[in-house]
Amino acid sequence: MKSISLIQFLIEERRAGHINAELSLLIEVVARACKRIAVATNKGALGGVLGEAGTGNIQGEAQKKLDVISNEILLEANAWGGQLAACASEEMEDPQPIPDMYPKGNHLLLFDPLDGSSNIDVNISVGTIFSILRCPDGITEPKAEHFLQAGTTQLAAGYVVYGPATVLVLTFGHGTHEFTLDREVGSFILSRRDIRIPEETAEFAINMSNQRHWEAPMQRYIGELLAGKDGPRAKDFNMRWVASMVADVHRIITRGGVFFYPLDAKIKSKGGKLRLMYEANPMAFIIEQAGGAATTGRERIMEIEPSGLHQRVPVFLGSKNEVEVATHYHVEADAAA
């Protein structure tokens, strides 16, 4: 079977009327930047990119050297192409305008340049997550409020996982598709078209060390999974936790499963752990387009009206039936209260 490159796939999507030329070029630019990040992560200790950068990001988290490098690669790659009005990064407090010397486009790009970067020093998969929105009409200097659009308005979303292979997973709202980087030719090649996540699963991913801090409906749900065959679910469940969202989500995209980062007592004041605009919305779009579900435990993630660029939310996503059970327990508990 003849291989299909990312560029050929994007041309086909344009002909089908799913995307325009500007969005197609923007995806190419992001993919090219991610190839550079892949090279930097692959060099590891030999490239002098491991360890702390000695700086903090807007979230107050210590930045790894590769966080800073990945952020710079994405900003630099997207500055001059003419497809963007502005971009926003999880690592920066405010959106980055396009320099005046370059033409501006009609799109807004949001990204988490290196998700799971705490894993980089121990050689575990990390990744880049991105989301593309339309810039509101008549806005030439986008501010933070112009990025605050519900996930349902996303034009495209994707992630790249830097693991044994470098893999790009992408959606434009017409299915979820996977591309694998062929290092010999330097191109992303279509490896799976129209991915479907099984509705049933017996595999879940959650940070069990936070169990004592969870709300009662989460305790109930996970308690039932752990009870296995002898419990109310009458089947055994398996647990996985990479602590790199891209890696955990990619496992679900590959073989099904569910991922949870619920609300807990430690993070309740922040609203959750994961960022709505940089992580939850793009991942929810990708998962839903593959037949899965994505909620906060109480509402559909993509229907949330954002209140801030760095807003945090709880995240339940993956195989539809398990997400629905966990969400039902939370809604039921709220109604009873």
Side-chain angles (χ1 to χ4, degrees):
M1 192 179 79
K2 187 178 176 291
S3 62
I4 296 171
S5 69
L6 174 63
I7 291 171
Q8 185 184 336
F9 180 86
L10 292 172
I11 290 168
E12 287 173 5
E13 290 290 289
R14 272 163 61 186
R15 285 181 186 150
H18 295 164
I19 57 173
N20 62 23
E22 195 174 87
L23 182 55
S24 173
L25 279 168
L26 179 51
I27 296 290
E28 283 183 51
V29 171
V30 171
R32 200 157 46 233
C34 290
K35 284 193 266 186
R36 284 182 61 195
I37 296 171
V39 170
T41 55
N42 282 147
K43 283 183 180 171
L46 304 181
V49 295
L50 302 186
E52 306 284 342
T55 53
N57 66 9
I58 173 59
Q59 328 291 341
E61 300 159 337
Q63 288 178 304
K64 298 284 186 182
K65 287 178 188 172
L66 262 172
D67 279 321
V68 178
I69 292 166
S70 303
N71 195 54
E72 284 303 316
I73 287 172
L74 280 158
L75 289 176
E76 190 186 302
N78 284 287
W80 54 270
Q83 297 91 33
L84 282 182
C87 51
S89 166
E90 192 194 284
E91 300 296 323
M92 306 187 312
E93 184 169 4
D94 299 310
Q96 174 94 350
I98 298 303
D100 289 336
M101 67 190 90
Y102 299 125
K104 289 188 174 71
N106 299 313
H107 295 95
L108 302 173
L109 173 69
L110 300 105
F111 54 81
D112 178 353
L114 202 67
D115 178 75
S117 57
S118 60
N119 279 326
I120 195 72
D121 294 351
V122 290
N123 205 22
I124 288 173
S125 295
V126 291
T128 298
I129 309 171
F130 63 91
S131 167
I132 298 170
L133 302 169
R134 185 173 282 109
C135 184
D137 290 341
I139 303 298
T140 53
E141 300 288 335
K143 304 284 187 288
E145 63 262 28
H146 300 120
F147 284 83
L148 303 183
Q149 304 176 33
T152 50
T153 68
Q154 291 175 102
L155 301 176
Y159 66 79
V160 176
V161 58
Y162 311 110
T166 296
V167 175
L168 164 67
V169 174
L170 190 58
T171 185
F172 301 112
H174 297 275
T176 293
H177 316 287
E178 179 196 84
F179 302 82
T180 302
L181 181 61
D182 183 336
R183 293 180 193 281
E184 287 172 19
V185 296
S187 298
F188 279 107
I189 305 297
L190 183 66
S191 39
R192 283 193 298 159
R193 192 192 283 270
D194 291 317
I195 294 164
R196 301 309 289 168
I197 296 169
E199 291 187 0
E200 292 288 348
T201 187
E203 196 164 70
F204 69 100
I206 196 165
N207 185 348
M208 286 295 294
S209 69
N210 291 325
Q211 184 172 10
R212 68 191 184 282
H213 303 294
W214 295 339
E215 296 176 300
M218 199 69 212
Q219 300 274 12
R220 174 191 171 190
Y221 174 76
I222 295 295
E224 288 182 1
L225 302 195
L226 296 176
K229 268 189 192 146
D230 305 325
R233 305 303 299 281
K235 71 173 180 179
D236 289 334
F237 284 78
N238 206 358
M239 194 192 113
R240 293 280 182 269
W241 183 250
V242 184
S244 168
M245 188 190 191
V246 170
D248 278 314
V249 169
H250 193 63
R251 184 181 57 253
I252 291 167
I253 282 288
T254 305
R255 68 184 192 206
V258 269
F259 170 93
F260 300 103
Y261 214 115
L263 205 55
D264 68 46
K266 288 194 302 180
I267 56 175
K268 194 163 190 176
S269 62
K270 294 178 178 174
K273 171 73 172 174
L274 300 171
R275 287 78 177 178
L276 174 64
M277 303 303 291
Y278 305 103
E279 295 163 315
N281 266 341
M283 288 306 202
F285 193 17
I286 290 163
I287 290 287
E288 284 193 10
Q289 284 294 315
T295 77
T296 64
R298 291 174 166 91
E299 61 183 322
R300 183 182 173 211
I301 286 171
M302 293 220 297
E303 288 177 353
I304 296 169
E305 289 296 335
S307 58
L309 205 47
H310 297 279
Q311 179 181 351
R312 297 173 187 246
V313 293
V315 173
F316 295 25
L317 59 75
S319 293
K320 205 171 196 171
N321 294 352
E322 286 306 317
V323 172
E324 284 175 358
V325 172
T327 302
H328 172 67
Y329 285 4
H330 283 73
V331 173
E332 193 179 57
D334 288 354

